[in-house]
């Protein structure tokens, strides 16, 4: 495979390459809002392209909301509307509320069930991309080849801990994140959710207290409740992640925190990324205080960042970090594969995995392992990130255009979803119900915490391709919010 | 598909059909040991077959140990050697030992690990058939078709609880066992082991006491330990399964038994089948005493019985029975699929499944669902049972021929493995180690209980095809036992 193949996105038309070029200039501030875009004639000359290509460049940037055409004077860089939105507020750092029994499971289940009963036309409640954004054709081809090559794969016994092809492929990818492990340290699981279950079961007893981000992934809260664990929610910055100061205060105040679960990269629902210095400090703090650090790294390959994000595990010197990850968001939402690197608790996690569900079966491990080991995975990830970035920018613009004053938004640097702060008097539960009645589904803020702090937030997914339905759904959400805020 | 296709085993040569005919006569006692087999000439005339076919019939039955050739007088029915073995002893029915913390996990893991480290040539420690006994070609063909037909199957979101094709297929099969359920009552799991985990998690708290068979499947003991449950082992008959009298005594003595786990059909390791009257009584007793009955029905399609065995669930009037089953032993050992019908605890099991590992992914559910819904599954099961029956008879004969006096065996009416009682002074742990040193692996009795009662038993698998290696392994086991008994 040639280097060009690796670095240029697959089969992108020329106008898109040029548009990206100018978009980069706008983003980096080389071209500023109000400034004139080089004329169509200039574009033709500078890049030796046809009139139609030069026009396509400008029209594309216009349709994406970056340029506006002014009668007879050409295209100008627009003030992005999202710049008008203030960012989501930072939390107060204080001693967190005492550990409370997590009772969200029933509430979350009820919200999920409400969403499933209703007739949903536009589902913005998820946290992954549409099926068509994933490499179905490549995976299906590999699957067919693998079945032909290993005809007994479905009928022979499976390998312990995971299939070596997948273990090797993910161990190699982990290197990029600063994590150096042998393939047989990888325990393959049924998604990251099973990895989290095993990690928590390995290091806690029912009744123990676990620190989590606030807000956090509702699935984690359900796991904690189902295992009889107590949670203490630690204030978390929408920019830099869990507050280590607040964690320190909680540890001092309660003294019995057994483990902490952190999503350092593209946290769900905030989208924040912990700076490397904070990751290092977190690893050291937990180690020094004998708190097990469970790292959930479901999203890091989805970051805009040109260099791979580091895992907290990269600073783990004592095996105190249990690293959990998923392939569902990056390779195939319909394939339930994740893995765990359990450090000091490897044997115990292995034993629990065996008792809970036995080693995973082989077929999809081999298929995904081969895909992840190939350059096709890198190309897929680049294209996926590019598409999502475009969809994200476009959605942020729409929200800025349709939501009332007082709405806040901090657009994340990657991932699939963003966290919107509503005006203080608007309840996202009301918005959820009103929107659902019209076929639009969002994830209300109350799903992401057991405290009563996030009712005027919601999470919205930008994984759907642009469409008139999507634009209408966003306009509807803005209009409903306006109505609710005026009540 | 024609009826003949459904009822005649696939492509069996004529001599085998005739041999089976006479084998049936021997088994049913129409031809008795010592009696003369009809002569080759008689066979030719009676069945209008060639000399070579008639000779093949006799030679096949001779090679299987059913006939012996006597110089110049033809073939005679042999005294089967297994008839010389006394059956495994019945347990004493008494108040079971008090609930003890189950500490088997580490021991079982150690035994499993020992077996995996060693250089095993003949592995008789399992409880399923060789890969070649399963329908790889059919499954691979369906998989390829399904991927072509549903190109987004790997990349789109999965359906809650299970894929409707599999839910419907197993719900239809359950009808044969007397269980009438709607497809959406089926929750698909990662094998029966996950089903057992969910069932136990749904109805117990750590510290609770659960009644189990003694001996029982070691995987169940590991699950109990990993969930912090206590076990009380109920004496179990190698013919009729768990003693209801002993269960009643245990319930009276301890009063705090929350659930009972039973394998009514082809119990592992004993191979026993509970009579229908006992199944009915068990269901009623548990219901009356508010003890949740968890039924593990991993093996019932593997019974010799021409009519399908009934599940205890067939007598469940109140939703008190949680029915767990697997497709691994019957369809494909490399596919981790099972299911649970949770009766009164449906919602709770569903919630726990979601929190523990989310709904299973679709591909293999659709593939196996289509296979199970087809007549090919019935044909496969018939052929598999027939092969296993032959392998079982042959192995019983070999054991009878090579093990010393004092060895006992009750050949089960189906399944994959049998339970051998060694002379009282022979430890199966010693036999396990001595055999492993020579590349032969068995499952020692200590794996199947936390009491110290089963060290002079072992479980042996008849899932391997006949071979010189297998015969040598059985001879070796007999010889080692002889040596150990003479120490
Ligand atoms: C932070 C986080 N962790 C874990 C998961 C679950 O991952 P999987 O689907 O691989 O089980 C999700 C899915 O949304 C998530 O957002
Ligand atoms: C009685 C019994 N239950 C459950 C299981 C586990 O079934 P699965 O492999 O479907 O998880 C086994 C496997 O040996 C078994 O013998």
């Amino acid at each position: 495979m040639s280097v060009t193949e690796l670095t240029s996105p697959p089969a992108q038309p020329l106008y898109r390459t040029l548009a990206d070029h100018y978009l980069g200039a706008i983003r980096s501030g080389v071209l500023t809002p109000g400034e004139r875009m080089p004329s169509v004639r200039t574009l033709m000359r500078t890049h030796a392209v046809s009139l139609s290509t030069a026009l396509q460049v400008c029209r594309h940037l216009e349709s994406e909301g970056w340029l506006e055409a002014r009668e007879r004077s050409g295209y100008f860089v627009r003030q992005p509307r999202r710049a008008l939105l203030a960012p989501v507020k930072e939390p107060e750092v204080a001693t967190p509320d005492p550990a409370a029994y997590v009772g969200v499971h029933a509430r979350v289940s009820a919200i999920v069930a409400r969403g499933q009963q209703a007739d949903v036309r536009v589902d913005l409640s998820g946290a992954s991309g549409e099926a068509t954004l994933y490499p179905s054709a490549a995976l299906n081809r590999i699957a067919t080849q693998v079945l032909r090559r290993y005809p007994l794969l479905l009928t022979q016994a499976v390998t312990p801990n995971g299939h070596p092809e997948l273990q090797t492929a993910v161990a190699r990818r982990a290197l990029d994140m600063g994590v150096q492990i042998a393939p047989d340290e990888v325990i393959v699981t049924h998604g990251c959710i099973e990895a989290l279950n095993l990690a928590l079961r390995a290091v806690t007893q029912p009744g123990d207290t676990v620190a989590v981000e606030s807000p956090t992934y509702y699935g984690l809260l359900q796991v904690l409740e189902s295992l009889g664990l107590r949670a203490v929610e630690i204030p978390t910055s929408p920019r830099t992640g869990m507050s280590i100061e607040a964690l320190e205060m909680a540890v001092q105040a309660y003294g019995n925190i057994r483990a902490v679960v952190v999503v350092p990269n593209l946290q769900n629902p905030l989208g924040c990324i912990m700076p490397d210095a904070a990751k290092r400090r977190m690893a050291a703090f937990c180690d020094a205080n004998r708190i097990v650090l469970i790292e959930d790294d479901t999203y890091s390959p989805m970051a805009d960042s040109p260099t791979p994000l580091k895992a907290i595990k990269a600073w783990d010197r004592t095996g105190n970090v249990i690293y959990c990850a998923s392939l569902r968001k990056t390779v195939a939402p319909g394939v339930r594969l994740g893995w765990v690197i359990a450090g000091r608790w490897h044997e115990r996690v292995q034993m629990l995995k065996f008792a809970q569900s036995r080693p995973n079966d082989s077929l999809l491990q081999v298929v995904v392992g081969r895909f992840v080991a190939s350059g096709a995975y890198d190309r897929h990830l680049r294209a996926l990130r590019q598409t999502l970035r475009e969809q994200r920018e476009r959605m942020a613009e729409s929200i800025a255009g349709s939501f009332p004053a007082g709405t806040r938004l901090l657009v994340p640097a990657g991932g699939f979803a963003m966290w919107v702060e509503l005006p203080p008097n608007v309840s996202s539960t009301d918005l959820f119900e009103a929107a659902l009645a019209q076929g639009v589904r969002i994830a209300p803020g109350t799903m992401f915490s057991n405290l009563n702090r996030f009712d005027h937030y919601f999470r919205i997914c930008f994984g759907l391709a642009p469409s008139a339905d999507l634009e209408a759904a966003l306009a509807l959400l803005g209009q409903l919010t306006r109505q609710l805020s005026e009540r």
Side-chain angles (χ1 to χ4, degrees), chain A:
Chain A
M1 172 186 321
S2 77
V3 174
T4 5
E5 234 185 294
L6 264 174
T7 51
S8 67
Q12 161 151 297
L14 180 55
Y15 82 90
R16 286 294 296 274
T17 310
L18 289 177
D20 283 353
H21 176 74
Y22 286 98
L23 179 52
I26 297 169
R27 281 220 182 88
S28 65
V30 170
L31 284 169
T32 54
E35 198 170 327
R36 195 181 193 284
M37 172 76 180
S39 71
V40 168
R41 204 147 302 167
T42 313
L43 291 180
M44 289 168 67
R45 208 175 40 235
T46 314
H47 302 286
V49 295
S50 67
L51 173 64
S52 96
T53 300
L55 271 171
Q56 271 182 303
V57 172
C58 296
R59 287 194 188 129
H60 178 71
L61 288 170
E62 183 188 18
S63 76
E64 296 286 307
W66 297 101
L67 298 182
E68 56 189 350
R70 297 200 193 141
E71 198 89 36
R72 249 162 305 188
S73 23
Y75 287 93
F76 289 78
V77 177
R78 271 178 68 183
Q79 176 73 35
R81 286 182 294 183
R82 46 173 283 207
L84 302 173
L85 286 185
V88 171
K89 282 196 288 288
E90 289 288 330
E92 277 175 52
V93 171
T95 303
D97 299 336
Y101 175 68
V102 177
V104 285
H105 206 148
R107 190 170 74 240
V108 167
S109 302
I111 298 174
V112 171
R114 277 287 291 125
Q116 284 170 348
Q117 283 151 19
D119 191 6
V120 174
R121 277 175 304 102
V122 182
D123 188 354
L124 303 168
S125 71
S128 69
E130 277 192 317
T132 50
L133 293 181
Y134 293 91
S136 304
L139 294 171
N140 296 353
R141 195 165 46 235
I142 300 174
T144 307
Q145 282 162 1
V146 164
L147 286 172
R148 207 174 305 128
R149 177 81 184 72
Y150 305 101
L152 295 183
L153 204 60
L154 298 181
T155 56
Q156 74 204 358
V158 304
T159 47
N161 289 346
H163 194 284
E165 289 209 35
L166 183 60
Q167 290 175 307
T168 307
V170 302
R172 207 171 294 156
R173 296 276 165 185
L175 263 186
D176 294 346
M177 318 197 56
V179 178
Q180 217 180 327
I181 39 143
D184 63 9
E185 289 175 70
V186 172
I187 298 174
V188 175
T189 60
H190 297 295
C192 186
I193 203 79
E194 192 184 44
L196 290 170
N197 271 272
L198 296 171
L200 285 163
R201 291 186 63 194
V203 303
T204 64
Q205 298 286 330
D208 280 356
T209 299
V210 174
V212 301
E213 293 146 332
S214 185
T216 190
Y217 172 47
Y218 63 84
L220 174 63
L221 296 175
Q222 294 179 301
V223 173
L224 294 174
E225 179 177 4
S226 75
L227 296 177
L229 297 169
R230 296 159 68 86
V232 53
E233 299 191 19
I234 309 293
T236 300
S237 157
R239 295 171 203 271
T240 56
M242 181 183 281
S243 160
I244 303 183
E245 292 71 27
L247 178 63
E248 287 173 357
M249 288 187 231
V251 168
Q252 271 165 25
Y254 306 112
N256 63 348
I257 294 178
R258 177 72 189 124
V260 52
V261 184
V262 203
V263 184
N265 296 322
L266 296 169
Q267 200 259 8
N268 181 2
L270 296 173
C272 51
I273 295 174
M274 252 191 184
D276 281 355
K279 288 175 183 165
R280 188 184 323 116
R281 206 175 131 201
M282 190 78 162
F285 173 78
C286 288
D287 197 31
N289 288 273
R290 301 174 160 272
I291 296 170
V292 185
L293 199 162
I294 300 174
E295 173 174 29
D296 172 346
D297 196 27
T298 293
Y299 294 104
S300 65
M302 294 311 306
D304 294 348
S305 156
T307 52
L309 300 180
K310 289 275 177 288
I312 299 183
K313 181 85 184 159
W315 287 278
D316 180 18
R317 298 283 161 269
T318 58
N320 188 49
V321 177
I322 305 185
Y323 176 89
C324 303
S326 177
L327 291 155
R328 272 190 66 239
K329 309 284 180 165
T330 52
V331 180
V335 175
R336 181 137 285 290
L337 281 177
W339 77 97
V340 52
I341 304 165
R344 227 187 290 160
W345 290 275
H346 177 77
E347 299 249 302
R348 183 147 170 79
V349 167
Q350 182 179 330
M351 184 171 103
L352 287 168
K353 168 64 172 153
F354 187 81
Q356 179 166 300
S357 68
R358 299 280 183 275
N360 281 41
D361 44 27
S362 301
L363 175 62
L364 292 176
Q365 288 191 70
V366 177
V367 171
V368 169
R370 290 188 172 196
F371 182 76
V372 167
S374 74
Y377 181 51
D378 297 284
R379 291 195 295 281
H380 155 68
L381 278 180
R382 270 197 303 277
L384 178 61
R385 283 191 297 249
Q386 171 68 17
T387 304
L388 286 165
R389 185 159 58 194
E390 285 168 20
Q391 294 177 184
R392 182 175 73 213
E393 302 288 348
R394 184 191 274 265
M395 182 176 278
E397 282 299 291
S398 301
I399 290 174
S402 66
F403 277 68
T407 303
R408 290 161 168 265
L409 177 65
L410 186 65
V411 183
F416 300 95
M418 52 196 164
W419 188 235
V420 183
E421 185 173 347
L422 294 166
N425 65 336
V426 179
S427 150
S428 67
T429 310
D430 293 347
L431 180 60
F432 168 74
E433 288 293 345
L436 201 59
Q438 303 201 39
V440 176
R441 184 174 168 193
I442 56 167
T446 48
M447 295 178 83
F448 300 91
S449 165
N450 200 36
L451 309 174
N452 223 343
R453 279 204 200 121
F454 299 103
D455 188 32
H456 65 292
Y457 293 82
F458 69 96
R459 192 189 69 182
I460 187 164
C461 177
F462 45 82
L464 303 188
S467 70
D469 274 357
L470 175 59
E471 281 310 312
L474 294 170
L476 173 72
L477 289 170
Q479 181 200 326
L480 291 172
T481 302
R482 204 174 291 275
Q483 286 165 11
L484 290 167
S485 72
E486 284 160 7
R487 274 209 301 212

